[in-house]
Amino acid sequence: MIAFGNHPLKIPADARRKTKRSGIGMRKERSSRSAVELLPAIRMNCRNSWRRYGGKYMSVSGIHLVSWFVCVICLLGGLSAAFPAVAGDLREKPDIGDDTMLMFVGEDLEVLTIASRREESARQAPAVAQVVTRRQFQQAGADSLAKVLEGLPGFHMAPKEWGTRPYLRGIPDSVLLLHDTAPLSSDISKSFHPLDEDLSLAGVKRIEIVRGPGSVLWGPDAFAGIVNVVPMTGKDFSGIETGLDYGEPGFQRGGYLNMGRDGGPWNGFLSISGQAGEADDSLCRVTRFWGDGDTPVPPEDRIGSDRPDEARHVEAVGNIAVEDWLTLSGRIADSRGEYALRSEDELSWCEGRDYRTGMLKAEARKTLNHLSSLRWTGYLSRLDIDHQIIDRTLTQRETTFYTELIHDRALWSGDGLLTGGVSYREKHVADALVWEGYFPDYLKPDNAFLLPLVAEVDYDTRLMSVFGQYNHRVADFHLWIGLRYDDHDAYEDRLSYNAGLSWSPSNAWIVKLIYGTAYRTPFAKQLRDEDRLELEYIESLNLQFAWTPSERVSFGVCGFWNRLRDHVMEDPYAGLSSPNRQDIKGLELEGRYLPIPSLALSANLTLMDNSGPDEAFRLLVGTFVDADGNVVKIYEDLDNPYDSGPLALANVAAEWKPTPGFVGRLELGYTSSRHLVFPRGEGDAATSDIWLLDASATFEDLPGIGGDVTVTVRNALDHRYDTPGTYAFMEGDPASVRIMFRKKW
Amino acid sequence: MNPPFIIIDRVRDALRCVAAAASVFFAVQLAWAIWSPGVSGQENPFRVAVVVSMNIRPYFEAMEGMRKALGDSPDIEIKSYVLSDDASGGEASLARKVFADAPSALVGIGPEATRFVFNRPFDGIRLYAMVLHPEKIIDPEAGDACGISLQVPFAAQIRIFRQTFPDIRRIGLLYDPANNGDAEAAISAADGNGAEIVSLPVSRREEIAEALRRNWAKIDGLWLIPDRTVITESLVRYIVKEAIANGVAVLGYNRFFFESGAAMAFVVDYEAVGIETARSLLNRRAGEPCFSMAPPFKAWLNMPVTEALGVRKVHPDTSEVEVKP
């Protein structure tokens, strides 16, 4: 019998799938015989192993690609023929010599691009949409995307040892995070969310948020919502801006440099930022483990004393645009964070993640006439993740190529707008880690011989899509309907759709009824293990009412009903759950009131409830070889409740602007208690309600200095609380203070 | 099953049906439009074609104002067309679309749309809205040019400013002579209101700091008017900050100036511009003469800034001024 505790040594039965075994010492082994040597050393590229899913063959992808683009060309050609305007003559824009846009200088034009793939006001957008401007998040003292989102309805930013795990409307890891419309998330790990210092807000113009599924226009993973970080351009900022910040505890320090130039026919922008500081001062007791790669370090030699190194983040974002037709942009970032993990057995060890990411994007736009335009977007991105676990580092890589072509056309004398497009995406994932067993068990003193089982998986996925959305305005009503067909080579094809209706009889109020669907790409482990994947799927119904009777009062309420199907949860102990269903319904309320012009009071409240069966895990607790040489696996069934995060969230804020040069802000955040299940099923526990008070003050144009200073205090009352970590509870962030100085030159 | 979800299921099924029906409807409509582009709808409605320059909030608000004001007229049919900001030569095609419905009136919201509306032959009613300088866009031979501009009259600006701040007599005017013919109009408007305009001409942005530095002692107020050399977001912040540091009150023209620390700013109500445009349209339809009018506006008085400056102010007895504490 080969079994250790209740962590299994799994023998893959399906030799068709080839996985690089990184058993002992993470070697990409080709041989075998030892505790894990019974595992056949199989190595095969999943590119080949996934040729057959749903009766399709990937080898035809190239043909598909060509066929699709031929179709697009034909489609556009047909449109040109059908609509003479498309083929109309294209002349240079005449200079009409008017300075009307100067009248709107500095005004918030409140546009977003992610609801319809074109600029429109958030209020009119066919989605539950919101925009947070640069000025708003700077005055709130928000120095990370997580800090911006945690104050919005529906969002919960759960602190973890390695960063922040986002929940939106009761669904973890469900937000499609975009930077300049290019995804930042990864197929390697659903826990990769650059929400903290690893995504700088120094060069960000605004943040666009859509709550609700968006697969029709954004494809897979626009599951419960979309967040798009929009960088500044040379048109938004001309000159040089610098910023320095300092914070405690942890000697946090950072700085940035923004440079923008509007040169008439061209404009460019570059932002360089850096951040360093101690992120975690916990003690790591297990300091050596991986040994020689065949057996771990003897238990008596593993214990020592160490602390995580400083975190550091460096990022550069830039773009250059020629007229309005061509934009080149890019982002490179190197982010390293170390942290301590602790198990329920009080074992602690250090881990670290080093993300190196690069993205190069090109956009071209051609206005064919007043009624139609063509937009092409293409980007290439690369993500390398070095995952350091005690004294061993594992590297995973993901390369993505994406291209899309979108055609807009106004119909019915401008009352209708048709947006149609095709896209192609190709992802290459190398060495994605698939863990077996429960890692903390291997660290225990009674394990002298075994190393954790980690498979390193290579796979490629290709996705071709055709999509369209039609908007039509009739009197005070706005209707829209959208459809998307995704042709996957690695898993089943998907049809996503949405429909909605908004009614705005006056500028004061608007009602939106929205229905939409979305799905998610599978976990790497699913791709490796499952013969036939059922993709996680969501249907969502939203009813929103927004009322703004005057500049001083606004109120909004949005009810939502999310229906999850075939969703899968990941547990560090029990692995992936069986596909399950959940229904989540909730209510989001928000309001703003200015009792006097210099004081703005705002509040939001999110209430949720979920229903559905518990998540069923099939846990492999042991594997042995019987007398006949057959491998026998022993499973145990575990049922855990669905992890919806806190079911009640609230924020109350007061913003005071007594003079033009000062903004003071107090914000009280509430997170309800969470019912938790220990992964081993040894009982359950609940966290307490959490109340956190944040305060910030911004002094603009300081006399004699000529810059802005923002002082932010988080958890001002130094409330001590526990929050769920990866393997055990962890302490929440204590009181902290940060000072930011910005100056424009 | 939870009763709400039964309802949701039914709503969802209904929506699916609606979506399917709408798809068929729009497909048929699309096909019909391709084959019969000239099909017309109601009999003899008063058709108004509103052409909007681009998708930005101020234009949307003006459009909303128009819809609101015309909503009580059942015989008026409004159709809107949104131009992109880089609208190019495909105007002929758009014109075919616009005129295919034989509109009785054309309204341009924004400069590009105004140019589209006025620079082609049309026998019906034509109006512009949300344009700073309509006279620079509209063909002088178009004799019916009327509408609501975005230009708050200089005489009104200086009158209200002087009434509110009677001690501020020497007012600097920062502008680039190459850009702005408005400066002369502003100077002449000031003459009639007892103000002395101190011209601060600059030809490049780099000259602004020096021009101000040399003249802070010579002025009590600083007037900022739309000028593409002088006005950018960062420059406005810089100029207002420097002005306050030198004890000079700034007169600006939108809420951004106010928020940046201008002592007074003239804020145009964009929705009211749409409403006024609709009223002008109805008047024209009733056979009344055509006027070019200034936009509805309020002068926001920035109390904290004026108190910080220590400047004497008189609360004008007029609804044009709103005191903002």
Side-chain angles (χ1 to χ4, degrees), chain A residues 231-285:
Chain A
M232 290 199 289
T233 68
K235 283 193 172 178
D236 303 314
F237 176 75
S238 280
I240 295 175
E241 182 186 51
T242 53
L244 291 171
D245 74 284
Y246 169 76
E248 288 289 352
F251 188 39
Q252 312 293 329
R253 69 274 185 199
Y256 70 84
L257 170 69
N258 287 346
M259 293 179 288
R261 169 90 176 152
D262 184 359
W266 68 276
N267 67 83
F269 178 79
L270 177 65
S271 175
I272 300 169
S273 58
Q275 185 80 34
E278 184 183 80
D280 189 348
D281 64 350
S282 306
L283 198 62
C284 304
R285 301 295 299 171

Side-chain angles (χ1 to χ4, degrees), chain A residues 315-353:
Chain A
E315 180 179 333
V317 175
N319 55 65
I320 185 164
V322 181
E323 299 285 357
D324 288 329
W325 71 274
L326 178 65
T327 304
L328 298 174
S329 57
R331 175 178 182 265
I332 54 173
D334 186 349
S335 178
R336 175 166 180 77
E338 279 204 13
Y339 48 89
L341 284 166
R342 190 168 61 84
S343 72
E344 73 272 32
D345 301 319
E346 298 302 323
L347 283 170
S348 61
W349 65 98
C350 285
E351 293 193 7
R353 294 186 186 187

